[in-house]
Amino acid sequence: EQVVQGRETGRFDEKIALAAPPLLFQTREDVAECPSDAMQLFIQKQRDLIKASHCWLPEMCANLESSTGVFSCTSSHNSAKPGNSTHFGLAMSTLDGEEGYADFLQTIAESVTLVRNGEKLEAREFIDGQTTQVKILCLFHLPNTADTVQLELGASSKGTVVGPYHRFAFYSFLQKDAQQSVITIFTLLFVIGFV
């Protein structure tokens, strides 16, 4: 028989309202053809394998014909300029000094397929191998105290290493103990949301 011990925790009885729809923002690297001849041979073999096992109809694998359709190397020094680049039908924008692509979290999280500019897009491909950083931005308001809290949850990647992070910004005169209570509640909500 499993015994669960209770633990006393502080209560946070404030009402919390989402002040704006959460945003999903990502920064990206440009793709480039992989320079190595050995890599090109590997990519061709992978393309042939994918065609044989997954491409029953020609339109199913149209992107395999491009040089970067199977695998691509990234090139951060070839980054696109704002206004000249799109991803998922979104124009590049700037957030906190970073150039990237923003969309409402709900659009990507609750949709299987999106249609933008007449192009059918799979929502699960919004974040891909070119994504270098992704963050979710939420703005909450506590009506009883007129406090506002910005929560940022994110992850950045360097090669094969992914580093998650979170940040809180308080736009109020919350006392330190009240700030800690809010951080605890938001952290619990975040963990519960992904379990």
Side-chain angles (χ1 to χ4, degrees):
E1 182 177 315
Q2 186 177 0
V3 177
V4 178
Q5 291 183 331
R7 192 173 114 179
E8 186 67 30
T9 59
R11 291 181 49 105
F12 185 80
D13 295 325
E14 295 291 330
K15 293 180 181 177
I16 299 174
L18 190 60
L23 290 178
L24 180 61
F25 182 82
Q26 72 165 290
T27 57
R28 300 177 60 75
E29 291 181 319
D30 282 347
V31 294
E33 278 195 41
C34 299
S36 158
D37 288 339
M39 191 64 181
Q40 291 301 324
L41 180 61
F42 169 78
I43 291 170
Q44 184 57 48
K45 286 184 178 188
Q46 292 302 309
R47 182 181 291 138
D48 294 343
L49 179 64
I50 292 169
K51 281 183 177 180
S53 63
H54 290 83
C55 303
W56 301 287
L57 301 172
E59 62 270 9
M60 292 174 71
C61 299
N63 68 334
L64 287 180
E65 300 310 317
S66 81
S67 59
T68 58
V70 174
F71 183 87
S72 59
C73 295
T74 57
S75 174
S76 59
H77 64 275
N78 290 337
S79 61
K81 300 295 179 213
N84 297 334
S85 179
T86 62
H87 175 62
F88 258 64
L90 303 167
M92 187 178 283
S93 58
T94 302
L95 178 68
D96 294 332
E98 295 179 305
E99 295 174 347
Y101 303 91
D103 205 342
F104 292 112
L105 175 62
Q106 183 177 2
T107 302
I108 301 299
E110 294 186 3
S111 301
V112 174
T113 304
L114 303 169
V115 177
R116 293 203 171 134
N117 300 326
E119 184 180 355
K120 179 182 170 187
L121 306 165
E122 298 296 322
R124 68 173 185 241
E125 294 174 0
F126 182 70
I127 297 170
D128 60 14
Q130 288 178 255
T131 303
T132 56
Q133 180 182 32
V134 62
K135 56 177 113 176
I136 298 171
L137 300 159
C138 303
L139 192 62
F140 297 94
H141 184 70
L142 289 81
N144 294 348
T145 60
D147 295 317
T148 302
V149 179
Q150 179 182 333
L151 169 63
E152 179 179 323
L153 306 168
S156 58
S157 65
K158 298 285 184 207
T160 58
V161 178
V162 177
Y165 67 90
H166 66 276
R167 293 187 190 112
F168 294 94
F170 295 91
Y171 302 105
S172 68
F173 297 101
L174 280 179
Q175 298 171 356
K176 289 288 183 195
D177 60 336
Q179 286 183 5
Q180 189 56 49
S181 294
V182 171
I183 288 173
T184 302
I185 293 297
F186 285 139
T187 303
L188 287 172
L189 290 172
F190 172 69
V191 170
I192 290 169
F194 285 100
V195 172

